[in-house]
Amino acid sequence: MLKITKVKRNSLASELGLEVGDEVLAFDGYPCEDELDYLYYNAEEEFTMTVRDKRGEQEVVLEIEKDQDEELGFEFEKTSCIRTCQNRCVFCFVDQMPKGMRESLYVKDDDYAMSFACGNFVTLTNLSEESLERIIRLRLSPLYISVHTMNPSLRVKLLRNRFAGKIVEQIRRLAENGIEMHCQAVVVPNENDGEEFAYTARQLFQYYPTVKELACVPTGITKYRDGLTPIPDVDKEYSQTFLDLVDGLNKEFGVNFVQPADEYFVKAERALKTAEFYGEFEQIENGIGMSTKFRDEFFLGLKGLPRTRGEKFALKKPKRALLICGVSSAKLNADLVQKANESIAGLELIALPVKNAFFGETVTCTGLLTGVDMLSAIQSFQAENPTTGVDEIILDGNTMKEFEEVFLCGMTLSELKEKLDFENIRVNRKGGYGLVEILSTNG
């Protein structure tokens, strides 16, 4: 149900006599659940709309005929009810977080509406038959689906949910009705890897290109796993074997359907794939091709700088900058640092890989660094290099909330500056190009 809060002047809603306080109950006889119904029918030309007046005394069915680009013209109260996760996955990262962090970090959403609108991953284990039909009817495409395995009994075991085995039928029906899907598998050693993973990839590839790709990511393991199912971490040999399996599958398929997370290449000590491998980088926020894209943007950004001193771009005044990164990106950043120092006159860039003491040293990506760990690492660097003054410190924007300067540990950027007694901390939220922009200016 949508409760109308505003009727736009000279709109279709105004012509129909709708008023603030009226409630839209259904479109085409289907119950109206949330904003998705409005968005779908707002783009339709012919449909019915069931409305209850603001006094709750009368319901009418309005027959609507409009141009496709003509809006209905009313606003409504936004609902904030999020479908939550009912699984107890053996690899769940939320279950491995320490207590006392902000409440939002413990919310496990499993909402197909947010998958469609925001790209959140869903398991579909809480999906009713009515909801599945609604996805198909409203053409909610694409969806981002955590498949993990197409073996029903194994999926029930990994997700610890008796409804998890329905995924095979759900994928089939969504694909047959043209719902595009971006799929992922969190790969648990000795469970859904090896031949089990190959089986999953082959089953999903049956629906290519409606199933766009299968991303595979290693299990995130923190130090807070007491009482949880033991899961081994992946090492160099394991990662090499897994990447060989992926290469073999993609050769079999004839397309780069299976896309491994960057972490596998780091641990395997293998070169990153080229940008062409990832196509449109559909799962970059899942750590799939992020390093490749960042590296390529960075080198292109350097190449595009105007040359004002021989063959180098020159800063207005020299500066020494400290680039903070996670352990897994240490080698990549070492290469970027060397290239930056060679390309920009007056720049001395130093990379500082930070070990993750907050979650445990098995967590190595930059995006999960906390303020407390970065503070400790920077203070140690300053103590060990008392004569090496730093003009600016550069942080990756992925270490903070999207629209707030708050780290995972709860520390704010302002607090970090205060504890370091250092104001010139610059945050890069624009990828490789953004880093070049920061390095080539005196902040």
Side-chain angles (χ1 to χ4, degrees), residues 45-144:
E45 296 180 346
E46 295 184 18
F47 55 91
T48 64
M49 185 167 66
T50 305
V51 179
R52 180 167 58 205
D53 69 42
K54 58 186 176 184
R55 291 173 294 279
E57 297 175 352
Q58 184 179 10
E59 292 183 12
V60 295
V61 178
L62 303 173
E63 294 188 1
I64 310 296
E65 291 186 13
K66 66 180 188 63
D67 294 333
Q68 191 175 41
D69 59 354
E70 182 182 6
E71 294 191 358
L72 286 169
F74 64 84
E75 297 177 7
F76 47 87
E77 289 181 356
K78 300 293 192 299
T79 58
S80 58
C81 182
I82 296 176
R83 300 169 183 88
T84 56
C85 181
Q86 304 300 314
N87 308 315
R88 294 177 295 113
C89 300
V90 297
F91 48 78
C92 180
F93 192 83
V94 175
D95 291 344
Q96 303 177 72
M97 291 202 299
K99 297 179 181 179
M101 301 173 72
R102 58 180 185 269
E103 290 186 8
S104 61
L105 293 175
Y106 302 99
V107 175
K108 297 189 285 185
D109 69 88
D110 200 1
D111 194 326
Y112 66 84
M114 294 189 68
S115 181
F116 169 68
C118 307
N120 294 16
F121 277 94
V122 290
T123 65
L124 305 182
T125 55
N126 61 1
L127 197 69
S128 65
E129 176 63 24
E130 291 75 19
S131 293
L132 181 59
E133 291 179 353
R134 182 177 185 241
I135 290 171
I136 294 169
R137 176 171 54 85
L138 297 183
R139 298 197 290 274
L140 303 183
S141 178
L143 294 179
Y144 292 76

Side-chain angles (χ1 to χ4, degrees), residues 141 204 254 262 348:
S141 178
L204 289 171
D262 297 358
E348 182 184 349

Side-chain angles (χ1 to χ4, degrees), residues 341-369:
N341 289 335
E342 291 173 352
S343 304
I344 301 177
L347 173 68
E348 182 184 349
L349 180 63
I350 304 168
L352 180 62
V354 177
K355 292 183 179 179
N356 199 320
F358 189 88
F359 287 113
E361 293 188 14
T362 52
V363 177
T364 60
C365 66
T366 302
L368 289 175
L369 288 178

Side-chain angles (χ1 to χ4, degrees), residues 322-325 354 366 369-371 374-375 378 392-400 407 412-413 416-417 420 424-430 435 438:
L322 193 63
L323 176 64
I324 308 301
C325 64
V354 177
T366 302
L369 288 178
T370 60
M374 289 187 283
L375 170 65
I378 294 168
E392 66 185 28
I393 296 171
I394 305 168
L395 305 184
D396 193 307
N398 289 329
T399 60
M400 290 179 281
F407 302 106
T412 65
L413 180 59
L416 178 62
K417 291 178 179 180
L420 289 171
N424 196 20
I425 297 180
R426 303 178 71 179
V427 179
N428 175 30
R429 294 185 183 272
K430 300 178 182 178
L435 180 56
I438 290 173

Side-chain angles (χ1 to χ4, degrees), residues 177-338:
N177 285 278
I179 304 299
E180 292 186 350
M181 289 165 276
H182 300 284
C183 296
Q184 75 157 351
V186 174
V187 182
V188 182
N190 306 318
E191 293 289 354
N192 61 336
D193 57 353
E195 285 305 310
E196 282 288 353
F197 181 82
Y199 173 79
T200 294
R202 291 183 179 117
Q203 290 297 303
L204 289 171
F205 188 70
Q206 294 180 82
Y207 304 110
Y208 177 83
T210 307
V211 173
K212 308 299 288 184
E213 75 283 312
L214 171 61
C216 38
V217 299
T219 308
I221 301 174
T222 79
K223 65 183 182 182
Y224 300 98
R225 286 198 62 85
D226 292 344
L228 300 177
T229 303
I231 296 177
D233 199 6
V234 301
D235 57 15
K236 177 179 178 179
E237 182 180 1
Y238 181 96
S239 299
Q240 289 176 339
T241 300
F242 186 76
L243 289 177
D244 289 343
L245 173 63
V246 169
D247 286 342
L249 287 167
N250 285 334
K251 184 177 180 180
E252 174 186 326
F253 299 150
V255 293
N256 297 321
F257 178 72
V258 184
Q259 300 193 354
D262 297 358
E263 188 173 346
Y264 285 116
F265 296 97
V266 173
K267 292 197 172 184
E269 298 179 12
R270 288 188 179 176
L272 299 170
K273 296 289 188 182
T274 64
E276 288 73 22
F277 178 85
Y278 301 101
E280 298 298 320
F281 289 91
E282 296 284 6
Q283 294 204 40
I284 192 167
E285 293 184 0
N286 208 9
I288 312 297
M290 183 179 289
S291 299
T292 293
K293 191 170 190 294
F294 191 98
R295 177 198 63 192
D296 291 355
E297 288 179 351
F298 184 79
F299 289 148
L300 284 171
L302 285 179
K303 188 176 181 180
L305 291 175
R307 297 175 180 180
T308 55
R309 184 187 298 172
E311 293 188 358
K312 284 188 177 182
F313 170 83
L315 288 167
K316 292 182 179 179
K317 58 181 181 178
K319 73 174 180 180
R320 181 182 290 117
L322 193 63
L323 176 64
I324 308 301
C325 64
V327 172
S328 64
S329 60
K331 184 181 184 305
L332 172 64
N333 278 283
D335 294 340
L336 302 187
V337 164
Q338 180 180 348

